[in-house]
Amino acid sequence: MKNNLISHAFSKLIIKVLLLSILLPLFYLLMLFTITQLDFNWLYRFSPNLYFALLKIFKFIFLSSFSFLFFLLIWGLLILYLVFKMLKKIDFYITCTVLQIDHLFNKEKTSIELPKELADLENKLNYLKMRNEKNERLAKESIETVFFLQQYGFYIIQFFAGNNLLSGQFFALPIVTVQYRKFFFQQLTLL
């Protein structure tokens, strides 16, 4: 294919990981600045219990020694999610391709359909399916021609031999293979 789908998906993953690596520390710093600089008296007036619970969570997440490990854990989980999503997409493409390759040799006249990202492969598989159908039709016609020559070739040779147009040696040859068919037509063109 002109554009390598896996390398494209991998490069998108690298860009997402870089953006995540930049945006997550910025979010951490923004949250730290916002919570330390703003006064949340309105929350205290609304519910003191909620205020103190959120204050404990904030101190645990942003001000404790575990804050770096907490954000590193979140960063790692998000990267694992992105990798899983990329692998799931690649698996989808492979599954679609394998299922459509099974249709390549079916006798149905339906065309092969793949996702738009695999348009080049879809065109190539449809071309192969068309060529396969054409080759099967030509093979069937060839078999019918050979069968015709086997059935009626003997009678044609007998006719020519009866009229002394061919030698008696050729009369005794059965037309069974393609070599005999070529030989038969060569003898007819010599007349």
Side-chain angles (χ1 to χ4, degrees):
M1 283 192 276
K2 292 178 184 173
N3 53 353
N4 194 346
L5 194 62
I6 294 175
S7 65
H8 180 68
F10 186 71
S11 63
K12 283 177 64 174
L13 175 71
I14 296 295
I15 290 171
K16 288 178 183 178
V17 167
L18 288 174
L19 283 174
L20 181 66
S21 298
I22 292 170
L23 293 177
L24 196 62
L26 285 177
F27 173 75
Y28 174 77
L29 292 175
L30 181 67
M31 289 298 292
L32 185 64
F33 176 76
T34 303
I35 293 174
T36 55
Q37 296 300 320
L38 294 178
D39 186 16
F40 284 96
N41 285 335
W42 59 271
L43 184 60
Y44 182 75
R45 284 189 298 258
F46 176 71
S47 172
N49 291 335
L50 180 64
Y51 175 79
F52 287 117
L54 289 176
L55 187 63
K56 284 182 184 179
I57 292 172
F58 165 75
K59 286 182 179 180
F60 176 74
I61 292 176
F62 291 100
L63 300 178
S64 70
S65 59
F66 297 109
S67 64
F68 177 73
L69 293 175
F70 178 75
F71 277 96
L72 189 63
L73 177 69
I74 290 175
W75 181 76
L77 290 175
L78 288 173
I79 287 178
L80 285 176
Y81 171 74
L82 291 174
V83 169
F84 174 74
K85 205 167 122 180
M86 180 194 71
L87 291 176
K88 188 176 177 183
K89 191 173 197 179
I90 290 173
D91 180 57
F92 170 73
Y93 291 147
I94 291 172
T95 304
C96 286
T97 305
V98 167
L99 289 175
Q100 293 300 320
I101 286 176
D102 289 341
H103 291 290
L104 187 63
F105 299 106
N106 284 353
K107 302 296 182 198
E108 300 171 0
K109 296 293 182 185
T110 59
S111 63
I112 294 174
E113 296 177 4
L114 292 173
K116 66 178 180 175
E117 293 87 0
L118 301 172
D120 293 339
L121 182 61
E122 178 181 340
N123 293 337
K124 289 176 184 178
L125 288 175
N126 280 324
Y127 175 74
L128 285 175
K129 183 168 184 161
M130 180 188 68
R131 287 292 302 254
N132 184 37
E133 290 171 357
K134 181 181 175 184
N135 288 342
E136 284 180 356
R137 184 178 40 82
L138 290 174
K140 185 178 178 183
E141 290 173 2
S142 296
I143 289 172
E144 289 173 356
T145 304
V146 168
F147 181 73
F148 172 79
L149 289 174
Q150 287 175 347
Q151 292 291 326
Y152 301 106
F154 181 75
Y155 299 115
I156 293 171
I157 293 172
Q158 190 175 21
F159 171 76
F160 287 125
N163 293 328
N164 292 326
L165 296 175
L166 295 174
S167 67
Q169 293 173 343
F170 185 72
F171 172 71
L173 287 175
I175 300 175
V176 181
T177 64
V178 175
Q179 292 174 338
Y180 291 133
R181 185 178 70 181
K182 289 180 183 176
F183 180 73
F184 172 71
F185 286 120
Q186 287 174 356
Q187 291 297 323
L188 289 179
T189 55
L190 292 176
L191 296 177

